[in-house]
Amino acid sequence: MKTYTNVFDLGDLKTALAEAAEIKQDRYKYEALGKHKTCLLIFFNNSLRTRLSTQKAARNLGMDVIVLDVNQGAWKLETERGVIMDGDKSEHLLEAIPVMASYCDVIGVRSFARFESREDDYTEKILNQFIRYSGKPVFSMEAATGHPLQAFADLITIEEYKRTERPKVVLTWAPHPRALPQAVPNSFADFMNEADVDFVITHPEGYELDPQFVRGAQVEYDQKKAFEGADFIYAKNWACPGVTRPEDYGKVLCKDRSWTVDTEHMSWTNNAFFMHCLPVRRNMIVSDEVIEAPTSLVIPEAANREISATVVLKRLLQAL
């Protein structure tokens, strides 16, 4: 594996899940693999779980870790080609990338959607420049349109907690005061469509995810109908993806609190587990009672971020 940006980079999911289970039994089994290798983690945006879990994963594999906060510990970087750099940006990404690559063996990049241009976000301009110009294996620690480390951890969690061979998994939109990217729901849909689950997406009209991620999933606009018989409820807000109306891309079209996942919503399910990637706005996305219930998986899900990152880094190292 040379890059990790989506579910297809993992190949067979059963094999990947078996690898995750093996690593969870012995996190240091492949510690020698990363000896004298350096992992560079580049953050254009804030992070808690991704930063900690990926650093831990790299050290599980014996790697040295360098962390760079671009907006705090480096020169401001220009990302556009052809601009006259007479503003506050002192260095261009096209020089910075090969310089950074010269100090490491594997690169992780975290860069959120800017909501300035749907085309720029959905072509993953920043992530793809690292893939193109670094000459090193690159993995996404969340990009403009995907968060594959989170989605892999979500799949691991579902595999561990499922009560039936083919559970019903529902991705539900929930309200939020700010415009959030589609990275997490996109990647969750990406993974669930390839996993052995009955997958349903529910959201208000206008929040349709990009077809490349929805694929064959069932889309249900009636949240109650979508929740019926569900084994897992995955709640997440996202701003308008601009699929049907590109001019609405990145806008908050709705703050309908009736979509907040509370005990009444969970009563419609098959005693479902609740999932969310965190951080979560309590009593906007989910009620206190639901997130604190025994069926809440938000902490095991977060813990599995270490496991998903370890599997991905292991595979990248093995391809060097």
Side-chain angles (χ1 to χ4, degrees):
M1 192 165 75
K2 299 291 187 182
T3 60
Y4 181 65
T5 64
N6 58 59
V7 67
F8 301 106
D9 290 332
L10 275 182
D12 181 68
L13 287 183
K14 289 184 178 179
T15 302
L17 286 168
E19 221 170 310
E22 176 192 35
I23 283 171
K24 200 160 187 178
Q25 288 295 315
D26 183 359
R27 293 159 204 251
Y28 304 103
K29 183 173 182 178
Y30 298 96
E31 190 174 12
L33 197 59
K35 186 177 182 181
H36 301 316
K37 296 289 191 298
T38 299
C39 183
L40 173 60
L41 307 180
I42 302 166
F43 291 88
F44 287 84
N45 301 94
N46 295 336
S47 176
L48 190 153
R49 277 150 296 279
T50 299
R51 180 188 296 259
L52 298 178
S53 63
T54 311
Q55 286 187 69
K56 180 65 166 62
R59 290 183 174 127
N60 289 350
L61 296 165
M63 301 185 78
D64 294 321
V65 182
I66 300 173
V67 178
L68 177 65
D69 288 298
V70 170
N71 295 321
Q72 296 179 27
W75 301 111
K76 287 189 176 180
L77 295 175
E78 178 58 65
T79 60
E80 299 299 321
R81 195 184 278 273
V83 299
I84 297 173
M85 292 177 60
D86 60 354
D88 64 342
K89 296 175 181 177
S90 305
E91 187 162 7
H92 202 287
L93 201 60
L94 293 181
E95 285 78 63
I97 289 172
V99 168
M100 290 187 269
S102 69
Y103 306 139
C104 66
D105 302 281
V106 176
I107 300 175
V109 181
R110 182 176 179 91
S111 179
F112 293 171
R114 297 180 176 181
F115 289 145
E116 295 171 359
S117 162
R118 189 181 195 280
E119 181 182 358
D120 285 354
D121 287 343
Y122 271 77
T123 55
E124 293 291 3
K125 181 176 284 188
I126 291 178
L127 178 63
N128 282 323
Q129 285 188 74
F130 277 91
I131 292 172
R132 181 175 180 182
Y133 297 113
S134 70
K136 298 292 173 67
V138 173
F139 65 100
S140 170
M141 297 191 297
E142 186 170 0
T145 65
H147 197 348
L149 286 176
Q150 178 65 54
F152 186 21
D154 296 334
L155 178 62
I156 293 167
T157 307
I158 290 170
E159 181 69 15
E160 290 175 338
Y161 284 88
K162 68 181 183 182
R163 306 183 188 108
T164 61
E165 192 59 33
R166 194 170 192 271
K168 179 178 179 180
V169 179
V170 177
L171 169 63
T172 181
W173 179 93
H176 194 282
R178 295 175 52 237
L180 297 185
Q182 297 101 47
V184 169
N186 282 346
S187 280
F188 188 74
D190 197 32
F191 270 71
M192 292 303 107
N193 277 313
E194 302 308 312
D196 188 17
V197 302
D198 177 13
F199 182 48
V200 179
I201 304 172
T202 184
H203 53 72
E205 291 191 20
Y207 281 92
E208 292 79 10
L209 296 172
D210 194 283
Q212 67 178 301
F213 301 107
V214 176
R215 299 202 283 279
Q218 178 187 346
V219 177
E220 174 56 66
Y221 293 100
D222 184 329
Q223 191 185 31
K224 184 174 183 178
K225 187 175 179 181
F227 275 43
E228 290 175 356
D231 300 294
F232 293 88
I233 297 295
Y234 197 104
K236 185 70 179 76
N237 175 267
W238 61 90
C240 176
V243 172
T244 56
R245 288 173 54 87
E247 63 270 26
D248 287 339
Y249 175 63
K251 292 182 180 178
V252 176
L253 304 179
C254 173
K255 293 183 182 180
D256 185 353
R257 293 281 300 279
S258 72
W259 284 78
T260 299
V261 179
D262 58 18
T263 52
E264 181 185 355
H265 287 70
M266 296 301 285
S267 74
W268 304 335
T269 73
N270 183 28
N271 192 30
F273 291 105
F274 175 81
M275 301 179 70
H276 188 279
C277 61
L278 301 182
V280 67
R281 299 262 184 153
R282 284 181 175 229
N283 302 306
M284 283 291 294
I285 301 288
V286 58
S287 69
D288 290 331
E289 293 78 13
V290 171
I291 198 170
E292 293 174 10
T295 47
S296 172
L297 298 180
V298 296
I299 303 305
E301 187 182 354
N304 275 331
R305 291 292 307 280
E306 176 190 348
I307 306 304
S308 66
T310 305
V311 173
V312 167
L313 282 169
K314 169 182 171 285
R315 290 188 173 196
L316 293 172
L317 286 169
Q318 288 172 328
L320 288 176

